[in-house]
Every structure is written in C-alpha cells, then in structure tokens.
Amino acid sequence: MKKLTTLLTVMLIISAAAIAQDDMSYEARQYRDEVKKFLQEEGFAPTVDGNQVDFKKEGNSFWAIFEGSTPVMVTFRTSGYNNEYDNDIAMLKALADANLKKTSAKAFLFDDRSVGFAVQFYSSDAEQFKHSFYKNMSDLEKTKENVKTKYNEIYDSMEDDKEIAPFSISSVFVGNVTKSGDIISDYGKSIYANSSQYLKPKLFIDTFTEGDYDLYVKVFAPDGLSAGSTSPAGYSFKSTLSLKKDTSYYFTSGWGSSESGNWQAGEYRFEFYYKDKLIFTKKFNVL
C-alpha cells in the first residue's frame, strides 16, 4: 500500500466535455467572461477553454465550468488524486468521512478510481461566484486535505491490522445446513431450534495478501463454549482459507450434528481468531 503525500493536478471531468463556445448560451458565455475578468483582477491569470475558465493557485489547478442558461449551472473544481492510491477501502471511507463535513465542497470518485473535488450551484449572475469565490476555494482545499488526512489515518490503521492479519473480515452471515452442506436455513435467515443441524458461517473478507491462512473459531451456545474431542485447545474448530484478492466471500466448516434439533433456542456467538487475536465477532439467535 502507499500513502497519499502530494496532490496531483489531474483534470477530472465532471461534465462529459468542455462545451464549445458556439454551443454556449448567451448567459453562460456572459457569466464565463465576467468570471475571467474577476480572476484577472485578482491576479490569477485565467485562461478560457470553451465553457470553462482555468487558473492555478500555488501549483494547484482550478476550473470553473458554466452550463445552461438562466440560471447558469456553475461547477467549481480543483485538482485531485489519480488512481495511484493502493487501498480502495481506505479511500471510500475517507471520501465518506470528508463528505460528512459541513462544507460546500464535496469529493467524487470516478470509474477510473480518480478522485475529484467540486462545488456546484445554480446562479443568475457572476456576483454570486465573486462573493463566494474565496470561501469555495477554501472549502475545496479543506475537503481535499480532509480526504488525504483521513486516508492516511485509515491506511496506518490497516497497516497495523496487517501485522495481526493479512486480511479483514467485514461481515458474517450464519446458515443452518446439513452435514453435506445442503441449506436448511439460508445465510442470514432465521434458524429454528427444531431443525438446527450444522451452523455454518459465510465470511465476507477483504484480502490484503493472498495465501492460505488458518482461522480459529469459537462457537458459544447459551450454555458456553461448544467444543469436541477433535477441537483445538480453547477453540471449537479450525478452518484453513485460501484467500484471493478477487474473491469476496468464503465459508468455514460447519459446527454441529446431523441430528435435527441439535441446537437449543437462545443467543449464540461466533468468534474468529487469527494467531490467537480476536478479529471478528458475530452474534445471532436460534429461535
């Protein structure tokens, strides 16, 4: 994995393409020209490219795009991250966190894994752009910085987790199955005591490093830890998982008996361990 260190000035297109000048409405063209004049007066040396005005501030690129007529839709953007970041999960969490902040700027993720930052609003004249310009630019920069900070924070946390496990369990569903694996109660559905046989977990896993890994499991019934004569010391059973980055879910062994009614009604708990470290807990009920 790789931390985010610098912001790359990649142009992330929110609209499909810049609209040619001849296709612009009179209002959008007038708005664009007034914004260009304003930016010139502020010392930003703007340039015009169709329906957008481009400029830079301290090495970061900004674009203002104008579409439609009255009111004109204004998209004010800044440069973002390209797809060289390594951890998609960390980035998605960072974007969600940044977009919860009270700011006009929002972060966007595109299909090519590029990340962009934009403020969008409708406006009848360029005065709104001028009055909100510095605040919007500040919000764009803050949102960009929030994403970088949160991504690196999550990245560090996941790096620490990798010292414990080269994978992470995101969710678990429990099914009731026969010894041969035929489903009695599907995964995540209600399990009834009178038809209960083998409790079998379905694990959704994010794999950091591919390989074969031993996962130790404790099954707690209402009367305590369930273990048998072949159980590893302190556990119910062990399953070896062959993890691949392009596979999202896996099944462990089932735990129980071929006799229907094996499990009494009550609260149950699966605990999953890697190298004696608890990494996930799943609680459920047998009815």
Side-chain angles (χ1 to χ4, degrees):
M1 290 200 305
K2 187 162 37 181
K3 271 185 160 183
L4 295 177
T5 53
T6 57
L7 293 168
L8 304 172
T9 54
V10 292
M11 184 172 178
L12 301 167
I13 304 299
I14 290 178
S15 55
I19 299 172
Q21 181 167 336
D22 289 346
D23 295 331
M24 292 177 65
S25 68
Y26 171 79
E27 292 85 359
R29 188 180 301 113
Q30 185 179 44
Y31 203 126
R32 179 205 62 190
D33 293 343
E34 290 183 31
V35 166
K36 179 188 175 184
K37 181 180 178 181
F38 165 73
L39 292 172
Q40 285 175 328
E41 293 171 349
E42 295 297 305
F44 287 106
T47 59
V48 169
D49 181 9
N51 69 323
Q52 69 184 39
V53 178
D54 310 340
F55 68 96
K56 289 188 176 183
K57 176 179 179 285
E58 299 175 356
N60 290 328
S61 296
F62 292 84
W63 301 272
I65 302 172
F66 311 97
E67 299 173 279
S69 55
T70 303
V72 174
M73 187 179 79
V74 180
T75 303
F76 187 19
R77 302 184 288 114
T78 189
S79 54
Y81 300 109
N82 70 6
N83 63 358
E84 72 170 20
Y85 63 86
D86 288 333
N87 195 294
D88 291 335
I89 296 170
M91 179 55 75
L92 287 171
K93 290 182 177 179
L95 295 178
D97 181 80
N99 285 337
L100 288 175
K101 308 291 185 185
K102 292 183 178 180
T103 173
S104 60
K106 299 300 177 185
F108 299 87
L109 181 65
F110 299 91
D111 290 340
D112 63 353
R113 296 177 71 248
S114 295
V115 177
F117 305 90
V119 177
Q120 284 189 312
F121 56 91
Y122 284 93
S123 176
S124 297
D125 59 64
E127 290 304 310
Q128 181 179 350
F129 185 95
K130 297 175 186 178
H131 290 154
S132 61
F133 170 73
Y134 284 103
K135 180 184 182 304
N136 285 338
M137 190 156 58
S138 175
D139 284 350
L140 285 168
E141 292 172 332
K142 286 178 181 177
T143 300
K144 186 163 56 175
E145 185 63 26
N146 286 339
V147 168
K148 183 176 74 171
T149 299
K150 192 65 177 180
Y151 177 90
N152 289 337
E153 177 185 317
I154 297 170
Y155 166 89
D156 286 338
S157 174
M158 295 180 79
E159 282 291 287
D160 291 341
D161 287 346
K162 283 177 66 179
E163 294 178 5
I164 301 168
F167 58 89
S168 174
I169 300 174
S170 58
S171 61
V172 172
F173 297 91
V174 180
N176 177 30
V177 303
T178 65
K179 186 175 182 179
S180 61
D182 294 329
I183 294 174
I184 301 171
S185 300
D186 208 350
Y187 296 92
K189 303 297 184 181
S190 296
I191 298 174
Y192 296 96
N194 61 0
S195 61
S196 63
Q197 293 188 25
Y198 287 86
L199 302 175
K200 187 178 180 70
K202 179 179 182 180
L203 285 63
F204 286 82
I205 291 178
D206 299 312
T207 300
F208 306 132
T209 305
E210 295 183 345
D212 295 338
Y213 301 102
D214 290 334
L215 189 67
Y216 287 80
V217 184
K218 295 182 181 182
V219 181
F220 288 92
D223 55 357
L225 177 66
S226 176
S229 59
T230 61
S231 295
Y235 297 94
S236 301
F237 64 93
K238 177 190 78 172
S239 281
T240 300
L241 303 179
S242 296
L243 303 185
K244 301 290 184 181
K245 289 187 176 181
D246 60 355
T247 303
S248 61
Y249 65 87
Y250 302 82
F251 297 93
T252 69
S253 304
W255 187 250
S257 168
S258 297
E259 183 179 349
S260 291
N262 182 69
W263 300 103
Q264 62 180 297
E267 184 177 281
Y268 286 72
R269 184 172 80 253
F270 273 95
E271 292 183 352
F272 301 92
Y273 292 78
Y274 178 74
K275 293 186 176 180
D276 295 323
K277 178 70 176 181
L278 177 63
I279 59 174
F280 197 87
T281 300
K282 171 64 177 180
K283 294 181 179 180
F284 63 101
N285 291 302
V286 173
L287 306 177

